[in-house]
Amino acid sequence: KKMLALNLNKVNYLQVGCTSSKSMVVIPSSKGQQKIAVGDFDGVITCFGIKKHLPQIQFKTLPSTKINRLILGAKESTGKDKIYIACGTKIKGFTKKGKQFVDFDSNLSEPVQSMFVDGVDLFLCSSYIYNHYHENSDQNYYLASDKINDIVVLTMPDGMPCLPVLACQDRSLCVINKSEKLFDIQVPGSPITLSIGHNLGGNQAKSVVYGTSDGKVGLINIDSKGYEFVWEIQNEKNYGDVLCINTYDVSNNGTQDVIIGRADGVVEIYAFDEGAEPFQHCVCNLSESITSVSGGCVCAANYQEVVVSTYTGWIYGLTTEPQQRQLGMPGSSTKAAVNTELDLKIAELAKEIEQLQQTVVIEREKYQESAKSVTATSTIPAFNINDRFILNHDDASYNLSIEVQMPIDIILLQSNVPVDLLDVEKNSAVVSYSSCAPESGNFLLATYRCQANTTRIELKI
């Protein structure tokens, strides 16, 4: 009996500021619809739920330092429903109602880039240093040989010490015991992200799912004595880097599926049929960098979905709820109720557009006044740019990707060394070359004119 195809429908929830990798979670709940918490570059945590297909804000914090990570943890051994954030060198903890109960300064010399919380234990990583705190007192420390991209911690049975696993840039997973390195695991590319593989390794094994910069995903069983590679998914279609991984039973068949989010906007769901090897059950393309993926029942009770956050701050739901149920199409028993919901949604959007138009008029008037002023100075607005320049070892070219929160109109390229610009399938921008004089150090002058509403562009050099 083959597994049924998975049909996911995209739903737009809301937009926050730009988001870091692994900074959005679906909060566990024993009943009804679940809430979503997300942290952004402005230092704001937004926690919201969906009621009648409209986002309802549960709580929102005031702006502060940029949030590098937002994860779930628990004070005791109860379910992980507490929100922890890493902002600068500080760790803050909030309940799902928005009450702050932790404000811990790690006193590290660099910002915390990744972390893991297990009860009263905090495992923090800056760029090269791993620190373990027990009840806010420093316990263990380790200096990695290369940049640390992520951390997960495996809890061991029978009171044995837990095993932190660090994803290091030098193509290795470093397994730590207290303040010593236990062993290294060589993986096929630089590991960018890690996730605990809940029951994926079989026989109650403790396993870790890793995703690499060259788009591969694998599962490894790890204990204090050694490790075992279980499976690996190759990147045959040359999708982007794996930025986030999670496990959740989206297909509702009793086994965990692996959800993968990539830098080029591809979201994949790998499921397990009768064999131990995963197969691609579903793939969606959102054309923006995926920073976090999580599973739950958010939009409607009893309908599983994958919640996705993108670099530009959009939170999307990929839900198994049928489209006709949402839109009140023929064959839907909820037609009248959904039509009322749609009317409400349209009214809300019309009201929002009116408010935005009024704000634009006010800002335009302010600009006209300041333009006439003798003392006013003009400045370029600052905005976040997510850029990556990565060597593709298959064809010895470089991939340059640029992403910003607002639509890109024109990109200018200048180079003082001879380079060729290659065609990229995903790139719909129009390129124009200008003549240049190599003797003056100009070998390339090119202009990329983007299509409307393009926020991310990929170039091949």
Side-chain angles (χ1 to χ4, degrees):
K1 184 185 172 183
K2 290 298 285 179
M3 200 178 286
L4 293 171
L6 193 62
N7 293 318
L8 297 179
N9 299 307
K10 181 181 159 194
V11 186
N12 295 13
Y13 288 145
L14 53 76
Q15 188 175 23
V16 295
C18 291
T19 62
S20 303
S21 184
K22 291 175 86 167
S23 57
M24 182 277 301
V25 292
V26 174
I27 301 168
S29 172
S30 55
K31 54 182 180 179
Q33 292 164 246
Q34 293 169 255
K35 305 280 192 297
I36 298 168
V38 58
D40 60 27
F41 281 18
D42 301 325
V44 176
I45 301 172
T46 307
C47 180
F48 67 97
I50 304 297
K51 196 173 180 182
K52 295 184 178 177
H53 295 93
L54 292 170
Q56 304 280 323
I57 303 291
Q58 176 95 356
F59 74 86
K60 202 170 182 177
T61 62
L62 294 170
S64 64
T65 318
K66 173 187 170 184
I67 295 172
N68 287 327
R69 275 285 196 276
L70 183 149
I71 63 168
L72 289 173
K75 285 195 286 188
E76 298 89 26
S77 58
T78 54
K80 291 195 170 189
D81 62 351
K82 303 287 186 288
I83 300 161
Y84 289 84
I85 60 164
C87 48
T89 59
K90 286 191 172 183
I91 305 300
K92 296 179 182 178
F94 295 84
T95 66
K96 56 187 177 183
K97 302 280 186 193
K99 184 184 175 189
Q100 187 172 341
F101 66 92
V102 172
D103 190 354
F104 170 63
D105 195 339
S106 64
N107 292 320
L108 296 172
S109 56
E110 292 180 303
V112 175
Q113 300 293 348
S114 54
M115 66 170 174
F116 193 92
V117 179
D118 183 25
V120 291
D121 290 284
L122 276 175
F123 302 87
L124 310 181
C125 294
S126 53
S127 294
Y128 292 90
I129 297 167
Y130 151 80
N131 279 77
H132 169 209
Y133 299 88
H134 179 75
E135 292 183 337
N136 295 354
S137 65
D138 203 345
Q139 295 290 309
N140 297 302
Y141 162 94
Y142 178 75
L143 176 65
S145 56
D146 207 335
K147 190 183 169 201
I148 301 168
N149 291 325
D150 203 1
I151 178 174
V152 294
V153 178
L154 298 174
T155 51
M156 291 290 125
D158 305 326
M160 291 169 67
C162 55
L163 292 181
V165 181
L166 311 180
C168 298
Q169 189 70 27
D170 58 1
R171 295 186 166 214
S172 71
L173 303 183
C174 180
V175 182
I176 306 289
N177 182 20
K178 295 183 179 175
S179 293
E180 302 286 322
K181 177 164 75 173
L182 206 55
F183 50 82
D184 269 332
I185 305 170
Q186 297 301 316
V187 290
S190 296
I192 302 286
T193 184
L194 300 174
S195 178
I196 293 176
H198 297 285
N199 303 323
L200 291 179
N203 298 327
Q204 304 298 312
K206 299 290 182 180
S207 52
V208 170
V209 189
Y210 65 84
T212 69
S213 58
D214 56 356
K216 292 178 181 141
V217 175
L219 179 77
I220 306 175
N221 286 348
I222 300 173
D223 60 26
S224 54
K225 294 170 187 166
Y227 61 91
E228 176 197 7
F229 283 91
V230 183
W231 48 255
E232 185 181 282
I233 301 166
Q234 299 298 320
N235 185 17
E236 289 164 4
K237 294 190 177 175
N238 287 327
Y239 289 143
D241 328 9
V242 178
L243 297 186
C244 49
I245 295 175
N246 217 323
T247 56
Y248 184 73
D249 184 10
V250 187
S251 43
N252 215 5
N253 64 346
T255 57
Q256 298 283 316
D257 301 324
V258 180
I259 309 164
I260 300 166
R262 297 179 180 269
D264 56 355
V266 173
V267 178
E268 295 175 283
I269 297 170
Y270 278 83
F272 297 84
D273 209 350
E274 290 157 1
E277 294 287 318
F279 69 95
Q280 192 185 66
H281 199 193
C282 184
V283 60
C284 308
N285 197 336
L286 302 178
S287 71
E288 295 178 70
S289 290
I290 309 298
T291 50
S292 309
V293 287
S294 194
C297 295
V298 177
C299 191
N302 305 321
Y303 284 100
Q304 311 297 333
E305 71 178 89
V306 175
V307 182
V308 171
S309 71
T310 68
Y311 171 79
T312 55
W314 271 107
I315 313 297
Y316 299 115
L318 301 172
T319 177
T320 54
E321 184 183 18
Q323 200 92 48
Q324 72 259 26
R325 187 177 180 277
Q326 292 178 25
L327 300 177
M329 288 179 178
S332 165
S333 59
T334 55
K335 187 173 180 180
V338 174
N339 280 344
T340 312
E341 282 177 25
L342 279 176
D343 290 341
L344 281 171
K345 199 166 188 177
I346 291 163
E348 284 277 334
L349 289 170
K351 189 177 169 186
E352 199 177 323
I353 289 166
E354 197 179 325
Q355 286 172 348
L356 287 169
Q357 285 172 336
Q358 287 171 359
T359 309
V360 168
V361 169
I362 293 163
E363 291 298 324
R364 196 169 273 154
E365 284 171 2
K366 276 189 196 171
Y367 178 76
Q368 294 295 343
E369 284 171 24
S370 59
K372 293 171 191 170
S373 167
V374 182
T375 54
T377 55
S378 177
T379 59
I380 297 168
F383 48 84
N384 296 301
I385 301 175
N386 181 24
D387 57 290
R388 305 164 76 84
F389 193 60
I390 295 170
L391 175 65
N392 181 354
H393 51 71
D394 291 337
D395 58 3
S397 67
Y398 281 92
N399 285 352
L400 171 64
S401 67
I402 298 166
E403 186 170 19
V404 291
Q405 201 167 19
M406 63 219 58
I408 302 169
D409 194 15
I410 291 172
I411 290 179
L412 306 177
L413 280 185
Q414 185 273 335
S415 174
N416 54 8
V417 292
V419 291
D420 291 327
L421 299 178
L422 309 174
D423 285 336
V424 178
E425 270 182 52
K426 301 169 194 168
N427 186 353
S428 57
V430 179
V431 62
S432 323
Y433 294 92
S434 303
S435 57
C436 45
E439 62 272 9
S440 64
N442 258 346
F443 280 94
L444 172 76
L445 284 172
T447 306
Y448 278 90
R449 199 165 64 254
C450 301
Q451 305 289 336
N453 298 323
T454 300
T455 56
R456 184 178 188 276
I457 186 169
E458 263 190 44
L459 313 174
K460 210 169 189 182
I461 295 169

